[in-house]
Each structure stands twice: as structure tokens, then as C-alpha cells.
Amino acid sequence: MILKDFNMTKDELVETAEKYMNETFKRYDFIADTSSDMYITDENGGKYLDFLGGIAVNSVGGCNKAVIDAINEQASQMIHASNYFYTVPQTMLAKLICESIGMDKVQFQNSGAEANEVMIKLARKYGNDRYDGKRYKIVTALNSFHGRTLATLSATGQPGSAIHKGFEPLVEGFKYAEFNNLKSFEEAATDDVIAIMIEPVQGEGGVYPATQEFITGLRELCDRKGMLLLFDEVQTGWARTGELMAYMHYGIKPDAVSMAKAMGGGMPIAAMCATNEAFTALGAGTHGTTFGGNPVCCAASYAAISEILDKKLDKNAKEMGEYFMTELSKLPHVIQVRGKGLLVGVVFDKDVAADIKHEAFDRRMLMSVVQPAVIRMVPPLIVSKEDIDKALDIIKECINAVYA
């Protein structure tokens, strides 16, 4: 649907949106009309270089043909079926996911927060089943972000923040420790703790990758104390960091991992994968979903993941990410570049991230702000060197304008 279909002006559409919709984010002065590969086009035909990627969702580019074809074919056959039935797209997607990343089983959800919810439930049930209710707590990292539902915002390690404020009392059973500080996690892992849950790269927290020593130490700690190691890969999963899953960088395997964003090619789908041992805690009836594993979303996800695998987009993310971060570090007023693959954070010497973002928008490039001095860029995994060079030129112009 495009604006002219409703015989409305842009101002009328904005007025209608503000009247009827409760806002999630402060919006750009922009109507996203169409998308293709690395670009989003506005209502006037203006093309924007997309280094926001639908917040790390448009992994295989805007309106990827394989994804569109899969959606159209499945929608013409069946749009929805209850999870009381087997369906081909859901079953074959489960096989593709588990065999690609070395996990045993998958449970489908609709969003990243839901995938983290079911991972939290798995850990709770696992601990209660084995330790008579004496072990149920989960340790997460300070400055983490795990979602906006009541349990996942409670898991989010940002005490006193706007994410927590006003939603108290939070869900009981979460403890926080310092990211990349193994000793802090060891001290938090008391006898009532059943799991450790982390992002391998903290996104909203400022784009901080976990160190090898930290991840290796967490795996050893969990093995030693009979705890589960849970990875929130809602943002990092499916080639974003240069490996299919970010845990593959570290040579370890978590007991469970959540995923969403990149796996659907733009469609709303998420999943939680785990080992057979961990999944013994969640038998039939312990967790359910009406829409999770929807046939159309599963068909789209099968196509998107196949594109990632067939086109080796993990390799492209690694190569392009290394080039991008190297060149970004040479720009004036940039004091640090953090990230893995195409999950890139740029730290400036002043709190100018919002100004940089707005200057970039004026030059038709999209990005996001995660901290006052930090911008985050998560372009589609199909990004080329030419796209990156164009982005670098725009960012340099933005820096010159902001610091003039």
C-alpha cells in the first residue's frame, strides 16, 4: 500500500497516526514506502541508504525475491494452521535451523522477547524439576537488554532505567553481574542460581562484544555448578557477527539460544533452540503459542536462512565488517569502534550521536543511537564495499557538520 491509495497527504497520514496509535519510538519525518536491497524509498521517491536494516531484521536485503516468492506461494496455499497439526514449512525450517547451528530441537515464537521468555521458562522449569524449587534464579549482565515483556525487562540489567521505572515490582528471580567480568558472575552464581543468560554482543548497552576469556569461563562455570548457559542471540544470530551464530566465534555451545530479527527476512518469527537435555524440562503443555511457527513466516524464514547459507553472507559480514570498522576508526572525533561483523558501534568524543544520526538522515542514510556518544549500524548482510564507501563519505560529512 502506498500513500496515494488512500488519497491522503503526508501531513494527513501523520495526523491520523498520531491520533490513533500509541507510539513505540519517536519517528523520523519520513514515510517508508518501498524497499529494495540496501535502500528504503520514501513517499516522494527519495532513496535512503539503509544501515538501520529494520533494526537488524532485513538481513538479506529489502524485498528479497526468494523471500517474496516463498511468502506468495505459501500464502496461496495456507496462511495459518494450528500447532495441533504438522506443516511442511515449520518442520523443514526446524530441520534446517538445527542442522545448520548444531542444536537438537527448536521451539518457534513470534518475537525476540517471546523467544527469551520461553528460554527463561525453560531454565526455571529445569531448575525446579531437578532441585525441588531451590534453584530458579538467573544471572544476567548489567547494561544488557532482553526485551520489553515483564519477565524480559526484569532480566534486562538496567536497574533504575526507563526500561524498569514504573513497572515495579519486577519479576523476582533475576540477579545482575558485570559484563566481561567472570569474577562478578562467579560471585553472583550462588546455590539458588540455575542459569546465566547473556548477549554475546551487548547491543543496546553500547555494542560491547564478550571476550573469549569471559565466554569460556562462563561455560566452565555453568558446567561446574550444574547451571544452564543461555545466549540471547536475537540481534546477533544468523550471520550478523560473521558466524551463523555468535557463539561460534568462541568455540563453545550454549545449552539454549534465542533468535529472531534476521531469521525471517522481514517477517515476524523467532525461536528458541536448545539441547535435548535442556528441553526435557519443557514437555507438551508447559509452553504454547497460537501464531508461533506460522506457515507463511516459516516459509519466509526458510528462504531467508537459505539465502544466508547459499550466498555465504556470514563470510560477507565478516569481511565487510572488518573493512567498515577499520575505515571508521580513521575518521575524526571517533575514539573507538566496537562490534563484530556487521554489528558496528561508533563512539565519538562527545555526546553527538543523535546529531550524527539526524545529519545522516538529511543526507539520506539511516542509522540508530544506542548511547549519547554511540551510533549503531546494522546494514543488510548483502552490503558491498561500494555501499560502505558511500556510508563512510556520508558519516564524514556528518562529523564535519556537527563539529563545525
Side-chain angles (χ1 to χ4, degrees):
M1 295 180 180
I2 55 179
L3 188 59
K4 66 182 181 182
D5 292 337
F6 294 94
N7 194 29
M8 298 174 75
T9 66
K10 176 185 174 183
D11 288 344
E12 288 171 337
L13 184 74
V14 171
E15 182 181 351
T16 302
E18 291 178 349
K19 179 177 180 181
Y20 292 108
M21 297 191 338
N22 187 52
E23 295 293 7
T24 304
F25 301 110
K26 182 175 174 57
R27 297 177 188 257
Y28 286 98
D29 183 20
F30 168 74
I31 295 175
D33 197 43
T34 63
S35 66
S36 177
D37 296 331
M38 289 295 303
Y39 288 87
I40 290 180
T41 304
D42 68 17
E43 73 281 4
N44 296 314
K47 294 178 67 175
Y48 292 73
L49 183 61
D50 186 12
F51 272 56
L52 178 61
I55 316 180
V57 168
N58 296 329
S59 55
V60 293
C63 286
N64 177 278
K65 185 179 184 302
V67 173
I68 290 173
D69 289 347
I71 291 170
N72 288 339
E73 181 180 356
Q74 182 57 46
S76 69
Q77 297 174 5
M78 181 172 60
I79 293 175
H80 177 72
S82 166
N83 280 315
Y84 284 113
F85 311 125
Y86 296 105
T87 64
V88 172
Q90 190 181 90
T91 302
M92 298 315 294
L93 176 60
K95 180 177 185 289
L96 180 65
I97 289 172
C98 290
E99 291 184 350
S100 297
I101 67 170
M103 281 290 174
D104 294 327
K105 281 188 170 61
V106 61
Q107 192 149 13
F108 291 110
Q109 306 296 311
N110 304 289
S111 69
E114 286 179 66
N116 283 336
E117 283 268 353
V118 71
M119 194 159 65
I120 290 166
K121 288 179 69 176
L122 177 142
R124 282 273 186 108
K125 186 74 163 46
Y126 186 91
N128 282 320
D129 286 353
R130 284 159 177 73
Y131 300 102
D132 297 323
K134 295 176 182 177
R135 296 182 68 178
Y136 64 94
K137 292 184 179 180
I138 298 173
V139 182
T140 66
L142 289 167
N143 297 317
S144 59
F145 181 83
H146 296 294
R148 298 281 188 172
T149 64
L150 195 55
T152 56
L153 72 84
S154 300
T156 293
Q158 298 185 38
S161 70
I163 293 171
H164 284 184
K165 191 174 181 180
F167 298 105
E168 301 89 352
L170 301 182
V171 174
E172 197 270 336
F174 294 99
K175 303 170 70 175
Y176 310 128
E178 185 179 343
F179 188 67
N180 273 336
N181 184 332
L182 183 59
K183 183 178 179 181
S184 179
F185 272 80
E186 289 173 337
E187 291 172 350
T190 48
D191 290 341
D192 54 358
V193 169
I194 192 56
I196 289 172
M197 177 176 173
I198 64 153
E199 303 159 275
V201 181
Q202 288 194 330
E204 296 293 327
V207 194
Y208 285 97
T211 65
Q212 180 68 55
E213 179 185 19
F214 179 59
I215 296 296
T216 301
L218 289 183
R219 180 69 275 178
E220 292 172 351
L221 174 63
C222 288
D223 291 342
R224 186 169 71 250
K225 300 202 69 169
M227 302 184 301
L228 299 178
L229 180 59
L230 315 176
F231 269 33
D232 174 350
E233 295 224 33
V234 168
Q235 184 167 189
T236 57
W238 294 110
R240 172 57 55 189
T241 67
E243 293 281 357
L244 289 183
M245 304 301 290
Y247 65 75
M248 295 176 176
H249 287 285
Y250 300 97
I252 63 95
K253 180 178 173 181
D255 299 289
V257 57
S258 61
M259 60 192 71
K261 290 186 180 287
M263 69 181 288
M267 293 292 283
I269 186 170
M272 190 273 290
C273 286
T275 62
N276 282 326
E277 167 65 18
F279 255 128
T280 58
L282 284 186
T286 55
H287 183 78
T289 172
T290 297
F291 291 105
N294 170 275
V296 177
C297 292
C298 284
S301 181
Y302 192 96
I305 290 174
S306 295
E307 287 278 280
I308 290 170
L309 296 172
D310 295 345
K311 295 181 178 179
K312 295 181 172 56
L313 294 184
D314 53 340
K315 181 180 179 182
N316 191 62
K318 182 177 186 295
E319 293 176 354
M320 292 299 100
E322 288 175 353
Y323 173 70
F324 193 28
M325 286 191 278
T326 297
E327 296 303 310
L328 284 166
S329 66
K330 300 175 183 177
L331 296 179
H333 302 288
V334 171
I335 60 173
Q336 190 178 18
V337 180
R338 300 192 291 253
K340 277 186 180 293
L342 289 170
L343 174 50
V344 178
V346 182
V347 187
F348 295 95
D349 57 11
K350 293 182 181 179
D351 291 347
V352 296
D355 296 324
I356 297 290
K357 182 186 84 167
H358 293 305
E359 290 286 342
F361 178 73
D362 290 342
R363 292 164 175 78
R364 293 187 175 175
M365 178 181 171
L366 307 175
M367 62 181 67
S368 65
V369 174
V370 291
Q371 297 290 327
V374 185
I375 60 171
R376 174 182 58 186
M377 290 175 283
V378 281
L381 305 176
I382 62 171
V383 68
S384 68
K385 184 175 181 293
E386 290 73 24
D387 297 321
I388 288 174
D389 286 341
K390 183 174 181 178
L392 289 165
D393 288 341
I394 293 172
I395 295 168
K396 188 172 183 178
E397 289 179 12
C398 296
I399 292 171
N400 290 336
V402 168
Y403 283 89

